[in-house]
Amino acid sequence: MRNGTDRRSFMKALGMGTAAAAMGTRAVGSSVAVGAGRLSGATDRDGKYALPRLPYAYDALEPFLASQTLTLHHDKHHQGYVKGLNATLDKLAAARQAGNYSTIKHLSRDLAFHGSGHVLHAIYWRSMTPGGSRLKGALADAVRRDFGSQEAFVQQFAAATRAVEGSGWGVAAYEPMGGKVLVLQAEKHQNLTVWGVVPLLVCDVWEHAYYLDYQNRRAEYVDGFLKVANWSFANQRYIEATAQA
Ligand code: MN
């Protein structure tokens, strides 16, 4: 399982997973296995999303970032995403219960906005450490393989991050289907997805997927899709995604 090993190594290199416990972060949610992409403290014991503690003191990154900057960013901005994410999930539960999806576009946008905000900020705090740390180990090997050299990888990451148009993120990522490290930009941060999700089943609704058969009747195409949907494949993907702990 080369990909699984790579992924674990990459998460470790990013300081995710069990690193939080070693750093003395309160082990909230520690009864849940730290699996693929899980991050200690990002959920609470009830399974609600939660604001993870900073893995260092608010002034630990000075003079690079002032204590006030980190305090506002973490305690106000990130907390806002966590609250918004939990509130949106509650509203979606209410919509399901009522069988009323009249606000599904709005709620789906809020889910992506707050969900990606929470995921990316939780990773952002762990992406920094006082004094920095060197790139080595499995990720360094993967980067040499995929980028030629560490320097080329870091330069591409810096260039991509500097060039993000408007608000956004520079992202070093592991793409599990091809088993590659990629440097990506994210404008804003949601684009109606939550970063880090593992797709289980997908339906293409670009017009090229259905126009010859259904013209503008996308709903009919989606109904037809549901009749051929391979939920067994989705289940297999789910098992694989949750078994990588
Ligand atoms: Mn932010």
Side-chain angles (χ1 to χ4, degrees):
M1 289 292 287
R2 185 181 63 82
N3 287 356
T5 306
D6 282 359
R7 184 181 173 109
R8 276 194 298 278
S9 304
F10 183 59
M11 294 303 173
K12 210 171 169 185
L14 282 180
M16 298 176 69
T18 52
M23 288 165 153
T25 304
R26 193 162 52 102
V28 177
S30 58
S31 60
V32 180
V34 176
R38 275 197 175 272
L39 196 145
S40 177
T43 51
D44 64 18
R45 285 189 178 80
D46 302 325
K48 293 264 187 191
Y49 287 101
L51 181 67
R53 281 189 178 182
L54 272 191
Y56 33 74
Y58 288 101
D59 62 359
L61 299 180
E62 288 185 344
F64 162 57
L65 288 174
S67 174
Q68 188 185 21
T69 305
L70 275 195
T71 303
L72 287 170
H73 198 175
H74 177 267
D75 293 9
K76 302 297 181 190
H77 291 268
H78 189 172
Q79 180 67 264
Y81 288 118
V82 173
K83 281 185 182 166
L85 179 53
N86 285 325
T88 303
L89 288 172
D90 287 344
K91 287 176 192 168
L92 283 164
R96 285 194 298 276
Q97 202 157 22
N100 179 353
Y101 291 102
S102 59
T103 58
I104 191 63
K105 278 180 75 173
H106 172 74
L107 292 177
S108 298
R109 282 175 200 279
D110 276 0
L111 177 63
F113 178 72
H114 294 298
S116 285
H118 178 41
V119 166
L120 288 170
H121 282 92
I123 294 171
Y124 173 68
W125 310 127
R126 302 282 175 83
S127 297
M128 301 181 285
T129 192
S133 69
R134 295 176 64 84
L135 173 58
K136 56 186 180 184
L139 178 59
D141 294 342
V143 154
R144 272 192 294 274
R145 180 194 67 206
D146 294 341
F147 293 80
S149 70
Q150 283 194 24
E151 292 70 27
F153 165 68
V154 173
Q155 280 173 18
Q156 185 178 330
F157 179 81
T161 304
R162 287 189 203 106
V164 171
E165 196 169 292
S167 305
W169 301 76
V171 180
Y174 175 65
E175 194 291 289
M177 194 171 285
K180 292 185 189 308
V181 177
L182 300 176
V183 168
L184 301 168
Q185 296 176 317
E187 292 181 2
K188 299 185 183 174
H189 60 224
Q190 66 279 29
N191 293 326
L192 302 187
T193 193
V194 175
W195 279 80
V197 299
V198 175
L200 302 178
L201 188 92
V202 299
C203 177
D204 187 346
V205 290
W206 281 61
E207 287 184 347
H208 62 230
Y210 62 86
Y211 213 81
L212 288 177
D213 304 289
Y214 295 93
Q215 291 80 50
N216 60 328
R217 304 187 306 280
R218 183 194 282 185
E220 262 180 57
Y221 159 74
V222 174
D223 289 345
F225 174 86
L226 290 176
K227 290 181 181 135
V228 300
N230 189 350
W231 293 110
S232 168
F233 167 73
N235 180 54
Q236 192 57 40
R237 297 262 305 157
Y238 177 76
I239 288 168
E240 288 171 10
T242 53
Q244 287 176 5

